[in-house]
Amino acid sequence: IQEVIFNPIIWDRLEPSGMALLPLAAIDVQKFIGLVSVISQQLGSDDKQQRMHQAFERLIKPQVLAKVAAEGREGRMVRIQFKNNFDAFVRDIHSFLIVK
């Protein structure tokens, strides 16, 4: 996660990172939420922390993670949806973290 959040040139790693993140998040949602908290604390300002949490809330849909965990696989449609959501998430995060 940190590789695609804090680095400005990540577009070649974006899809593999998202596809690796989906099953990991589905396995242990609480641990993933804890990771988000740790990462957001590194951002400094309360505004950036709040924006990071909001972006993660839009990325991680509980019903999607529950389906992945229950079925033991992602499925094509879930992977496509998550890929699109992850791309939007990274673009959103970069809009306020990466300043050119």
Side-chain angles (χ1 to χ4, degrees):
I1 292 175
Q2 289 185 341
E3 186 70 25
V4 295
I5 290 176
F6 295 113
N7 290 318
I9 303 174
I10 49 81
W11 306 112
D12 62 329
R13 293 169 281 201
L14 189 61
E15 185 174 351
S17 297
M19 293 302 95
L21 180 64
L22 177 58
L24 292 174
I27 289 170
D28 192 345
V29 176
Q30 294 306 316
K31 194 171 202 172
F32 186 74
I33 291 170
L35 176 65
V36 171
S37 295
V38 169
I39 291 172
S40 67
Q41 289 173 358
Q42 296 174 11
L43 301 178
S45 77
D46 290 339
D47 181 52
K48 287 182 180 180
Q49 289 180 16
Q50 182 65 27
R51 288 182 71 179
M52 172 73 84
H53 281 287
Q54 290 171 345
F56 267 110
E57 287 173 6
R58 287 190 300 273
L59 172 65
I60 301 300
K61 309 275 193 272
Q63 66 274 17
V64 172
L65 295 182
K67 183 176 181 179
V68 171
E71 295 180 8
R73 61 181 180 84
E74 296 91 12
R76 182 174 167 267
M77 295 306 292
V78 170
R79 279 195 317 269
I80 291 170
Q81 178 186 9
F82 189 80
K83 177 185 171 291
N84 293 335
N85 290 345
F86 190 67
D87 185 61
F89 162 77
V90 171
R91 290 180 191 280
D92 183 30
I93 295 300
H94 278 198
S95 72
F96 66 91
L97 286 184
I98 308 295
V99 180
K100 294 184 179 183

